[in-house]
Amino acid sequence: MHTFVSVRLGEVGASMSLTAVTSWEPTIGGINQAAGTVTDVSTGAGGEVSAGDELYSVNLRPAIVAQGSVPAFRALARDMEGADVAQLQGLLATLGHYDGDVDGIARRETDRAIRAWQKDTGVPVSGTVELGDLVFVPALPARVSLDEDVVGPGKVVVGGEPVVMVLPDAPETVIPVTVTQSGMIAAGADVSVTGPNGEIWAGEVADRHRDPENNTVIVEVTGTAGASLCGAECASIPVVGETSLESVITTAETVSGLILPAAALVTDAEGVVSVITEDGRRVAVAIVASANGVAVVEGVASGLRVRVPPTNETGAP
């Protein structure tokens, strides 16, 4: 008794549903130099800040973010010189209070700009930028997170605490898989990740490495063409800890055409692939794609009935 199936139009493809893990990798970006009680926090976790934005306040005096590689270490006023003075001048110029040379020398123009900025900020107009008024970070604008264990309403700070964590443009997303699963995943394979709010992010396999401790393979995922996976929706990923998300990795691209069970295919000694028709004829076919026990083939007509499996009871075709 033989079983026969009809060649028909369909499609073949394969994928794996797996759990993706996404997390931010922050770096220390700014040091608090104010001393006193934190009275307000203005920047939420993962918020983007620009030069002149208030991060938090201590004793009701705001701590303002500015760009610079030299951390704040002293009060700044007229007739002072240094790289930190140049960073202050850069801030004042960005905010429209200063149009002189950013040369690191605090002359009359710098003093006037400081006073205008202090008036806008709402602090006493003294011409002196007190230690703690500024928090310098390497680059702006930046997505940042404040250390809530240090900077929170009612917390006491003494100065010198690393409080501003700078986040990368996007969180890191990885998919832990078994060694066997890794062998089924091609470099650059399409990945679909479902975000925390149900949004679908299209990405691809970027790289992978072994985790010998857990005997797994860590598959790294990025957006297509190396872009950010989550794009404008990265802020939906919590800054602290890891977030588990649903993902699907395509292991075989979907191909449409005439399909039949892969079990209906027979290969002769010369490597020619054929099917056996209902009347016992061999018809050579070309395999276009195959996945999950189904093949897309060329060389046969839709509706042709073929034998499954292609051998008779004695094992001969």
Side-chain angles (χ1 to χ4, degrees), residues 262 264-276 282 285 287 310-311 317:
L265 301 172
V266 60
T267 304
D268 64 19
E270 285 73 37
V272 177
V273 180
S274 305
V275 294
I276 308 296
R282 279 179 177 261
V285 297
I287 301 174
T311 56

Side-chain angles (χ1 to χ4, degrees), residues 38-308:
V38 177
T39 47
D40 185 49
V41 175
S42 307
T43 302
E48 185 173 283
V49 296
S50 299
D53 288 346
E54 179 179 335
L55 298 173
Y56 53 91
S57 64
V58 176
N59 296 345
L60 300 178
R61 192 177 181 100
I64 304 298
V65 68
Q67 181 171 314
S69 59
V70 177
F73 65 94
R74 60 178 177 172
L76 300 174
R78 185 173 176 176
D79 297 328
M80 298 181 70
E81 299 182 17
D84 52 344
V85 174
Q87 292 173 176
L88 170 62
Q89 290 172 327
L91 169 68
L92 297 173
T94 298
L95 299 179
H97 297 299
Y98 180 71
D99 58 6
D101 295 332
V102 179
D103 56 7
I105 304 174
R107 300 183 180 87
R108 178 183 300 176
E109 294 84 354
T110 302
D111 177 71
R112 289 175 177 171
I114 291 172
R115 293 173 184 275
W117 171 60
Q118 288 178 325
K119 182 177 180 181
D120 281 354
T121 306
V123 300
V125 179
S126 64
T128 298
V129 179
E130 300 293 345
L131 181 62
D133 285 352
L134 295 177
V135 178
F136 289 114
V137 299
L140 290 172
R143 192 186 300 274
V144 302
S145 176
L146 302 182
D147 187 339
E148 296 179 354
D149 293 333
V150 178
V151 180
K155 299 282 188 180
V156 176
V157 291
V158 298
E161 301 94 343
V163 295
V164 180
M165 307 301 291
V166 177
L167 304 178
D169 292 336
E172 179 184 73
T173 301
V174 299
I175 302 176
V177 301
T178 66
V179 174
T180 300
Q181 289 172 327
S182 177
M184 302 167 60
I185 301 171
D190 291 338
V191 182
S192 174
V193 178
T194 302
N197 300 317
E199 57 272 50
I200 303 299
W201 300 331
E204 59 187 31
V205 172
D207 202 355
R208 72 191 78 193
H209 62 272
R210 291 289 297 269
D211 180 359
E213 183 176 342
N214 297 311
N215 195 31
T216 57
V217 177
I218 305 301
V219 176
E220 299 175 13
V221 180
T222 65
T224 55
S228 166
L229 177 65
C230 46
E233 297 161 336
C234 289
S236 65
I237 301 296
V239 171
V240 179
E242 297 181 339
T243 301
S244 296
L245 302 172
E246 296 178 359
S247 71
V248 177
I249 298 181
T250 299
T251 54
E253 294 290 342
T254 299
V255 177
S256 300
L258 294 173
I259 64 171
L260 48 72
L265 301 172
V266 60
T267 304
D268 64 19
E270 285 73 37
V272 177
V273 180
S274 305
V275 294
I276 308 296
T277 65
E278 196 170 19
D279 59 6
R281 292 181 299 113
R282 279 179 177 261
V283 178
V285 297
I287 301 174
V288 178
S290 179
N292 295 331
V294 180
V296 176
V297 298
E298 295 177 343
V300 291
S302 178
L304 178 70
R305 289 176 60 78
V306 299
R307 189 185 300 173
V308 183

